Amino acid sequence: MNRRDFTKKAGLAGISSIVATDIVFREMMPKGYVPLAFQDPDPFKMFQKDQQMVVLNDRPWNMEAQAHLLNDAVTPNKYMFIRNNGLIPEELDEATWTLTFEGESVKSSKQYSLADLKKKFKHHTYQLTLECGGNGRSEFDPPAKGNQWTVGAVSCAEWTGVRLKDVLADVGFKEDTVYVGYYGADLHLSRNPNKHPISRGVPLHKAMEDETLLAFQMNGEDIPLAHGYPLRLVVGGWPASTSGKWLHTLTLRNQVHDGEKMQGSSYRVPCETVAPGEKVADADMCIIESMPVKSLITGPKTGAVINEGQRLDISGHAWAGDLAVKGVDYSIDFGSTWQPCSVASAVNRLAWQHFKASIELPKKGYYEIWARAEDTKGNRQPMVLPGWNPKGYLNNACHRIAVKVV
Ligand SMILES: Nc1nc2c(c(=O)[nH]1)N[C@H]1C(S)=C(S)[C@@H](COP(=O)(O)O)O[C@H]1N2
Ligand SMILES: [Mo]
């Protein structure tokens, strides 16, 4: 077997991450042979996800958490949602991985090996909230096409890497730079190598923030295959579509990046509120930047039953894009009255904040517990759906759980 085939198999296996163990005799596999483990993939095994994760699509793979799975302070891989626009790369070789800087605003194009990046620049670790712009889409009416995310397309893992700003300073960019666009190694669904599944990015000012990382580790280990191994752009607080996985190229642009899914209704919303179902001209659509304030009750699981006289302890997280969360309130009477939760400050900027409350429920019966967060600018989550938009983005309506007292 030649080295390329070996690398390809190693890549297919995501260096054995798919079978979660070594493939003994891997080098003996016949050329072109597809192991059984890949023929009828069990996505939970393949991506090392908990069985309670919900598969929304298998081509491409899209999987979300349920609220109660997200109770950990730092999201472990097994509960992290997967959002793919194309096919996971089949050939990944950390040893030969490079990151190229190009585009009309780069002083002169430059390439780093992954090893160079790790060696040359200081490492930083941050917990960063990544929420898909379409999280909550399933609730919009008229419905919006796309993955019908409920509440589980959000995570806050701990990412380790080098600061994009440090690398950009080393690369050198012209004064006219306005945007940094990414290219990843995933394949377009058509398998046409000239088409990109997605190529988005961020304005220079966001790229230059301390927390914007070129990450090579998640939760202290190599980034899992589905989440961008071996290198990923991580941009906390903005739609997770700006955090390019399997990153191999960054392009420095003197205009807003015009890669795949930067235009039309992709990751864009009407600049001004429109009536539900209304057609919106391209020129009246704006790119989503910082995500809106939101919270999630992660404990207990909705449907919990407690005994009369017992207190209900709730817990959850709140986040607010580029801003911090000032407070979280809860309601047990469908939003008529609100009481404060206790809210911890963030471990670092752009990490979600944890809240909790111990609630007395007056008598036997059915209740709904609602949570509502407020950001440092005084924006609060709406109790019902926020502004309708063609693709169903930015649903930050209050989350609620059902509880019975018996
Ligand atoms: N290369 C690449 N990067 C990507 C995507 C993709 O399809 N390809 N999907 C984006 C979108 S829309 C989201 S919400 C996040 C999801 O990240 P996760 O799968 O690690 O949770 O990755 C973003 N980065
Ligand atoms: Mo997304």
Side-chain angles (χ1 to χ4, degrees):
M1 175 181 295
N2 64 37
R3 209 187 111 70
R4 191 171 178 278
D5 283 330
F6 179 80
T7 313
K8 179 151 187 171
K9 293 227 162 58
L12 251 177
I15 328 297
S16 62
S17 80
I18 285 181
V19 287
T21 181
D22 263 352
I23 303 173
V24 183
F25 302 127
R26 172 160 58 183
E27 62 288 355
M28 311 298 233
M29 281 198 294
K31 196 172 180 205
Y33 177 75
V34 181
L36 289 175
F38 311 138
Q39 289 178 23
D40 182 17
D42 170 343
F44 306 100
K45 255 197 218 146
M46 185 162 62
F47 302 123
Q48 293 163 300
K49 298 295 176 185
D50 186 272
Q51 295 279 343
Q52 295 177 81
M53 295 290 283
V54 180
V55 176
L56 300 184
N57 194 351
D58 61 359
R59 200 171 178 280
W61 285 110
N62 283 284
M63 204 187 262
E64 75 168 332
Q66 305 182 53
H68 69 280
L69 301 178
L70 293 170
N71 199 41
D72 295 276
V74 177
T75 312
N77 177 44
K78 65 179 174 181
Y79 298 139
M80 183 181 272
F81 78 99
I82 299 175
R83 195 312 186 219
N84 291 332
N85 290 266
L87 305 170
I88 293 177
E90 289 172 2
E91 291 192 57
L92 290 170
D93 186 358
E94 166 157 6
T96 59
W97 197 266
T98 56
L99 176 63
T100 302
F101 287 81
E102 57 177 39
E104 62 270 4
S105 289
V106 76
K107 280 216 170 114
S108 61
S109 55
K110 192 154 178 173
Q111 190 174 70
Y112 299 88
S113 69
L114 183 54
D116 281 346
L117 285 176
K118 291 183 183 175
K119 207 163 47 203
K120 204 164 170 185
F121 302 96
K122 189 166 178 239
H123 297 189
H124 297 268
T125 298
Y126 297 107
Q127 289 176 24
L128 298 166
T129 308
L130 294 185
E131 182 180 17
C132 179
N135 196 22
R137 172 179 293 141
S138 63
E139 287 185 81
F140 279 99
D141 186 26
K145 286 205 190 100
N147 289 295
Q148 294 300 301
W149 305 109
T150 64
V151 295
V154 61
S155 67
C156 185
E158 187 185 82
W159 296 92
T160 300
V162 298
R163 284 181 174 149
L164 176 54
K165 75 170 192 185
D166 290 349
V167 183
L168 283 175
D170 191 63
V171 171
F173 54 89
K174 296 184 196 158
E175 257 174 32
D176 66 356
T177 311
V178 295
Y179 229 87
V180 181
Y182 70 74
Y183 291 95
D186 44 342
L187 303 170
H188 191 266
L189 286 177
S190 64
R191 292 189 167 269
N192 178 346
N194 301 317
K195 284 190 173 175
H196 302 289
I198 186 168
S199 171
R200 305 198 67 247
V202 289
L204 184 65
H205 70 86
K206 184 65 181 171
M208 296 296 282
E209 285 184 0
D210 283 354
E211 300 83 4
T212 300
L213 295 180
L214 298 172
F216 36 77
Q217 284 200 326
M218 187 184 103
N219 297 338
E221 292 176 2
D222 284 351
I223 299 175
L225 179 63
H227 298 291
Y229 173 86
L231 186 67
R232 176 180 200 170
L233 177 63
V234 186
V235 183
W238 283 37
S241 55
T242 57
S243 292
K245 304 195 273 190
W246 311 292
L247 179 70
H248 64 69
T249 299
L250 288 171
T251 175
L252 306 184
R253 305 298 313 267
N254 63 7
Q255 59 172 77
V256 173
H257 183 51
D258 53 0
E260 196 59 37
K261 309 219 166 163
M262 285 299 291
Q263 277 141 347
S265 53
S266 291
Y267 305 102
R268 304 205 312 164
V269 292
C271 306
E272 306 295 338
T273 312
V274 299
E278 201 176 308
K279 278 236 173 328
V280 188
D282 260 14
D284 298 328
M285 298 284 278
C286 286
I287 298 173
I288 300 168
E289 299 202 326
S290 177
M291 292 291 285
V293 61
K294 194 161 170 179
S295 60
L296 192 64
I297 306 168
T298 56
K301 182 180 176 179
T302 188
V305 179
I306 62 168
N307 293 317
E308 196 177 8
Q310 199 187 332
R311 292 185 84 87
L312 174 74
D313 292 318
I314 63 162
S315 56
H317 318 288
W319 58 98
D322 282 337
L323 302 175
V325 171
K326 189 165 76 183
V328 180
D329 291 337
Y330 71 84
S331 174
I332 61 169
D333 54 12
F334 301 96
S336 300
T337 62
W338 296 88
Q339 315 299 326
C341 299
S342 68
V343 185
S345 46
V347 286
N348 54 254
R349 198 177 157 252
L350 311 181
W352 65 18
Q353 292 168 243
H354 317 301
F355 67 84
K356 57 183 187 201
S358 182
I359 305 173
E360 207 180 291
L361 295 169
K363 58 177 190 177
K364 285 184 185 172
Y366 173 89
Y367 296 84
E368 286 189 9
I369 316 300
W370 293 22
R372 184 183 67 187
E374 180 178 350
D375 70 24
T376 46
K377 285 202 173 142
N379 301 300
R380 279 181 182 159
Q381 292 182 255
M383 284 192 274
V384 293
L385 278 185
W388 181 90
N389 61 87
K391 280 285 199 76
Y393 296 121
L394 307 182
N395 178 2
N396 68 334
C398 290
H399 181 230
R400 50 235 186 230
I401 59 167
V403 174
K404 223 154 79 176
V405 180
V406 294

